[in-house]
Amino acid sequence: MSCDVAAEPIPGLTPAHGRSAAGFGAAQGISVGALTKAYGAQVILDRIDLDIAPGELLALLGPSGSGKTTLLRLLAGLDSASGGAIRLGGEDAAGLSVQERRVGFVFQSYALFRHMTVFDNIAYGLAVRPRRLRPSKAAIAARVSELLDMMQLPGFEKRFPSQLSGGQRQRVALARALAIAPRVLLLDEPFGALDAKVRKDLRKWLRDIHDRTGLTTVFVTHDQAEAMEVADRVAILNGGRIEQIGAPGEIRERPATAFVRAFLD
Ligand SMILES: Nc1ncnc2c1ncn2[C@@H]1O[C@H](COP(=O)(O)OP(=O)(O)O)[C@@H](O)[C@H]1O
Ligand SMILES: [Mg+2]
C-alpha cells in the first residue's frame, strides 16, 4: 500500500447542506478531568485527567483490562461516567448525545454492515440524518467517492464486505467514520484482527490519514510498537489510571514507574 498521495485537504460538504465546516474543520481538543467509571464497587477508571491537544494523535496503551475501551466509550458517549467531566472543543460533553458529539469511531469488532455495499456503508451516517440535515444524493455520492480515493480504494463502491480483504474492510470502516466530518476520531484496536504485515502497512497509512485530515485522534492499542510508531504522545494505562503520558522517546528513555518499565520490556 503506498502512502504517496498528495497531502491536500479533501473538500467536504458545502454550506448549502446546513454545515458550515468543510470536510474536516478546525481540530478540537479533548479535556478529561477526574473521569471515573465504576460498576458497583469495581472502579474501572479512577479519576483520569487527560488533555489532548487539537490535532494530536494520542495512543492509549495498556494491558487487557486496563480500561482503554471504557475510556473510549465514555469519550464517544456510548456510556456515561460515574464522575468527572469531558470537554470536547471546550464544550461540556455531558449533555451531548453520540450524534451531537460528532465522533467518528472504528472498533476492531465493529463489523461493516454485511448486506450493504461499500457505498452504502460509507454513506450510512449521512443517509440516516433527518431530511433537513441530510446532504443531497449527489453530495453524498461525491463524499463517498472522495473518501474512497483517500483510502486508496477507488471504484470499490459496489462491492460487499465479503469481497474485501481484512485491511480493506478496516479502511472502509475508517471511511465510514470520516464521512460525517467528525470532530474527533476514536479508534479501538482497529488493526487487532489483522496479520502482522497488514498491520504495519495500516499503521503508516493511519498516520498519513491523520496528518492529512488534522483530526484529533485517540488510538487504543495493547501493542507498544504500534503505539510508539504512530502516536505523538502515548498514555500508558494500568488498572484504570494513567501511569505515564509523554512522547514515545520520552517514555522509552525515562519510564516513570516500575509498571511502565516492565510493560515496555
Ligand atoms: N459493562 C461492564 N460491566 C462490568 N465490568 C465491565 C464492563 N465493561 C468493562 N468492564 C470491566 O472493566 C475493566 C476494563 O475493561 P476494558 O475497558 O474493556 O479494558 P481494555 O479495553 O483495556 O481491555 C475490565 O476489568 C472489564 O471486565
Ligand atoms: Mg479494549
Side-chain angles (χ1 to χ4, degrees):
M1 211 175 325
S2 77
C3 299
D4 56 0
V5 180
E8 57 189 16
I10 72 168
L13 304 172
T14 66
H17 302 298
R19 318 194 63 106
S20 53
F24 303 99
Q28 311 214 16
I30 301 172
S31 183
V32 165
L35 193 68
T36 299
K37 178 71 178 176
Y39 291 104
Q42 200 193 353
V43 177
I44 307 298
L45 293 177
D46 189 5
R47 288 166 292 141
I48 298 266
D49 292 315
L50 179 60
D51 281 299
I52 307 169
E56 182 171 18
L57 200 173
L58 179 91
L60 279 179
L61 174 66
S64 179
S66 56
K68 305 181 297 296
T69 294
T70 304
L71 178 52
L72 221 59
R73 290 180 60 85
L74 292 182
L75 293 177
L78 294 167
D79 281 323
S80 52
S82 312
I86 297 171
R87 302 183 80 80
L88 295 175
E91 183 183 10
D92 186 353
L96 301 180
S97 67
V98 178
Q99 282 75 25
E100 287 165 337
R101 290 184 191 204
R102 290 233 330 269
V103 295
F105 42 86
V106 178
F107 295 141
Q108 174 183 340
S109 58
Y110 194 39
L112 296 172
F113 303 120
R114 283 169 49 203
H115 61 290
M116 286 188 195
T117 61
V118 164
F119 181 99
D120 288 335
N121 266 283
I122 296 174
Y124 183 80
L126 298 172
V128 299
R129 281 195 183 151
R131 191 173 295 275
R132 90 198 139 75
L133 296 175
R134 196 185 314 150
S136 70
K137 277 201 165 147
I140 292 179
R143 181 76 171 160
V144 171
S145 162
E146 283 162 9
L147 286 163
L148 282 173
D149 283 347
M150 188 180 207
M151 301 304 148
Q152 295 166 357
L153 294 171
F156 277 60
E157 284 88 341
K158 291 191 176 140
R159 292 218 198 171
F160 285 89
S162 60
Q163 298 167 313
L164 303 175
S165 71
Q168 289 170 339
R169 271 183 221 155
Q170 284 309 71
R171 283 186 277 156
V172 172
L174 189 49
R176 181 172 62 180
L178 292 172
I180 59 160
R183 300 201 292 184
V184 300
L185 188 58
L186 306 176
L187 308 164
D188 192 355
E189 314 223 18
F191 312 139
L194 305 172
D195 65 51
K197 168 78 174 81
V198 177
R199 286 177 74 117
K200 270 202 140 159
D201 286 344
L202 284 180
R203 254 184 232 179
K204 290 203 187 71
W205 173 85
L206 170 66
R207 181 71 221 190
D208 181 58
I209 296 290
H210 170 267
D211 293 347
R212 291 167 63 194
T213 61
L215 278 169
T216 309
T217 302
V218 185
F219 174 66
V220 164
T221 179
H222 64 263
D223 178 335
Q224 57 150 306
E226 193 164 275
M228 297 293 188
E229 185 182 321
V230 162
D232 297 315
R233 282 192 308 161
V234 177
I236 299 191
L237 223 64
N238 176 33
R241 291 170 184 247
I242 293 178
E243 293 264 340
Q244 185 172 7
I245 181 163
E250 210 175 299
I251 291 183
R252 242 190 250 109
E253 282 155 36
R254 289 184 295 280
T257 66
F259 173 83
V260 173
R261 196 169 299 114
F263 187 70
L264 297 186
D265 254 352

